[in-house]
Amino acid sequence: MLGGILMAVAISVFVLVHEAGHFLAAKATGMKATEFFLGFGPRIWSFRRGETEFGVKALPLGGYVRIAGMNDREWVHPADLERTYRQQAFWKKSVVVLSGVTLNVVLAFFLLFGLFLATGVVESTTTVARVSPEITEGVASPAAEAGLRSGDILMAIDGVAISDWDQAVEVIMTRPGKAVVIDLIREGERRTTSATLGSYHPVTGEAVGFLGVSPGSRRVPVGPVRAAGLAIRAEWAIFTGTLEAVGRILRPESLIELGGALAGRSDVADEIRPVSPIGLVQIGTQATRVGIGNMVFLLAVVNVTLAIFNSLPLYPLDGGHFAVAVYEKLTGRRVDARRLIPVAVAVVMLMVFLGLVAVVLDIVNPLTL
């Protein structure tokens, strides 16, 4: 339950950070921001400070910052014309519309950076943690035939000294079907045994050497520099994976399958299933059971997802506003806001559709870790 509450609070904070990026960028570039709200629909609570009204609305489906003159059809008081979005230089428009996703990306980085700095990384050792008894039913694994045991420390294979597990894997995989000598330490004593490696991998079927052992592991602390590098690589992996997932969801056949959820089907494939705030809270409740590290990682994923979704070049998303700004910069012509209305309607309908599907699925078929 605590994890679910933390997830709900965290999502609200991430939306707040995203919108704060737009608000602060608008103020910094001299634009007039008239509203800063979390949620949509009827006002629940608000207050005014200076020229901006801050508050909360009834539907907790995101947030927004209203900047004067975001389209050329909006009426603006003559005294504020110079402070409208539409009157600003391209670089200022770009800063404002991209500031929200930028803060989400930065926040995801710091979450991952803090996670790696606090917990370190898990590295495989050259100690055998488990010996597979069989390759297939009735066929002993090379490791079992060689008499290897859990706790054995591999020192050399086929005369090649082993310093880490990746090196052991490389030596084994490049010797399919070959008889090799294995030097090891068992209970403090140096020993030697021999094994005839398998000639294919029992899971993938690849023609590679196979021994049949699993490595032990240890947690290794890391410094700030390595933690930063690991955070960048982890965020890039999240980014590419999420982008692929979005692409799968938006395919026509996927949208048709998702539509079945509104007709009573709940067996939607996980790889195209959208997740609502309800589902995120459910995941958060489960994530805390398997460690705070999983919760932090999940929060980073949420930030990257928010950044990717808002970066899509679809009006009225942030990416859509940026695409319009780029078009106007390249062509020197202002886009008529009326022509963007059909695009905005289609995008909003798509968002509502995916949101409804996600809510239905998260209620009738809750996600489990």
Side-chain angles (χ1 to χ4, degrees), residues 248-258 272:
R248 288 194 298 268
I249 290 173
L250 296 180
R251 290 182 304 191
E253 58 269 27
S254 298
L255 295 176
I256 293 173
E257 182 176 347
L258 291 173
I272 64 169

Side-chain angles (χ1 to χ4, degrees), residues 51 119 122 148 156 180 228 240 243 245 303 345:
E51 62 188 13
T119 64
V122 176
L148 292 178
V180 298
T240 54
L243 198 58
N303 269 282
V345 170

